[in-house]
Amino acid sequence: MYLGATTWTFSWAPPYDEALKTIARLGFKGAELTIWSEEFLRDYYRPDTNKQLRSLIADLGLVLSSVFCIPAGIGSVEPEQRADAVEQFKRVLDAAQQLGTDKIIALPPNPFDIDIPVLLGKATSQEWSVEFPGGLDWNQNWIDMVDVLRQFAEACEEREMRVALEPHPHRMMHNAAGMLRIVDQIESKAIGLNLDPSHLFPMGELPNMVAYEVGDRIFHTHLSDNDGQTNAHWRPGKGKVDWRAFLIALKDIGYDGPLSLELEDVPGAAGYPGFHRSPESSPEIERQHSLAKDYMTQLCDELGIEL
């Protein structure tokens, strides 16, 4: 296993050169890049930029653990939009290969691509619900999504790459059971899980239990903590996740991949500007990453886990 960090907590939008340099200077071995949208793919992740980023990552002594993406239209009822999602995903794969990684993290859709408020905006004591239109064919929506994901897996197989699905509150795959259902329906070793405690824990899952349940289909991990009420991304040790049990489970199943810090909700973090955040980080983000790195390193040392 090795410790890494996400670039988008240092700078929400590109360019990501300075974020990569900071991650390397802080002593991490891995880094993640993100393709938030079609616009990012078209305007930033061009072949010349990808070549330059790949060279920079190598010069910094980093490993690009994954490229994160959210292909639009996976959950749509419109066949054309689902087809567009597949084509966008293929372009993400091409960019990721140019960048030097064989691993993609993809976010499953909301049902029917309906907008669902984020948990961080959820009231603590008032009723909270989402209204769905009548007459929706939920079974067909699942079948359509699985068909898209099957095409994702096929595109990965053609390129000898893998896609790790990231569970997320209220999305069509939000827990271990959803992941295992997808694995059962898509017979491909190219599709697996990005194990993300800050998304699983508020869904009532024990992250260490998920590790045992999903086993060798875990391709990647994100590390962030929370209180189990929202999917806040605090630094490990500041919430209720049992990180010792989590690491023991990863060791037990033979996981040897990245442990990538995703500290989106710590002081100083960059974030989506429409959610009361700045797209640029402040110097405090470096201190938060150093504290998290020290915490996880000490735990791994105590457990005999080599980083």
Side-chain angles (χ1 to χ4, degrees), residues 42-261:
R42 181 190 65 235
D43 298 338
Y44 181 64
Y45 288 100
R46 301 182 303 271
D48 57 336
T49 303
N50 297 339
K51 182 179 179 180
Q52 179 266 322
L53 285 170
R54 181 170 184 163
S55 178
L56 175 62
I57 290 166
D59 290 344
L60 292 171
L62 292 171
V63 174
L64 182 60
S65 66
S66 74
V67 171
F68 182 88
C69 68
I70 313 175
I74 303 175
S76 174
V77 298
E78 300 296 335
E80 296 82 3
Q81 292 185 16
R82 297 196 303 274
D84 287 344
V86 174
E87 293 306 310
Q88 182 183 344
F89 182 75
K90 290 177 180 178
R91 293 194 296 275
V92 170
L93 291 179
D94 293 341
Q97 282 188 313
Q98 294 168 12
L99 289 162
T101 184
D102 64 354
K103 196 179 296 105
I104 302 297
I105 297 175
L107 194 65
N110 289 336
F112 306 95
D113 277 351
I114 290 173
D115 186 32
I116 298 178
V118 296
L119 275 178
L120 284 173
K122 178 181 177 181
T124 57
S125 58
Q126 287 78 38
E127 181 183 81
W128 190 88
S129 64
V130 177
E131 291 188 15
F132 294 101
L136 296 175
D137 190 337
W138 287 80
N139 185 58
Q140 186 62 50
N141 193 228
W142 175 269
I143 292 171
D144 290 341
M145 180 200 69
V146 169
D147 179 63
V148 172
L149 296 180
R150 184 177 290 109
Q151 294 179 70
F152 282 10
E154 291 170 353
C156 286
E157 289 174 348
E158 292 172 0
R159 296 164 174 78
E160 297 183 346
M161 301 178 74
R162 296 187 295 172
V163 56
L165 302 178
E166 178 162 307
H168 194 285
H170 310 310
R171 289 182 176 257
M172 293 179 75
M173 195 276 284
H174 53 265
N175 57 15
M179 182 71 247
L180 294 173
R181 185 182 178 192
I182 289 169
V183 167
D184 285 343
Q185 294 181 3
I186 301 176
E187 296 182 0
S188 172
K189 294 293 186 182
I191 197 163
L193 180 74
N194 178 49
L195 182 55
D196 190 323
S198 67
H199 292 172
L200 291 162
F201 196 47
M203 292 291 95
E205 297 274 50
L206 294 174
N208 53 311
M209 183 174 169
V210 173
Y212 289 120
E213 289 179 294
V214 181
D216 63 4
R217 286 304 184 97
I218 296 170
F219 296 165
H220 194 278
T221 64
H222 276 164
L223 302 187
S224 48
D225 212 335
N226 63 42
D227 62 0
Q229 302 301 311
T230 72
N231 63 313
H233 298 68
W234 303 338
R235 62 180 166 88
K238 292 293 287 185
K240 295 182 178 179
V241 173
D242 186 343
W243 292 103
R244 181 180 294 274
F246 181 76
L247 290 170
I248 289 172
L250 291 180
K251 183 179 180 182
D252 284 348
I253 66 171
Y255 177 79
D256 194 31
L259 303 171
S260 187
L261 292 168

Side-chain angles (χ1 to χ4, degrees), residues 281-301:
S281 62
S282 75
E284 174 63 17
I285 191 64
E286 295 189 24
R287 176 175 173 271
Q288 293 292 322
H289 275 82
S290 293
L291 289 171
K293 178 174 174 286
D294 291 346
Y295 177 83
M296 296 306 299
T297 299
Q298 181 178 338
L299 272 180
C300 285
D301 287 345

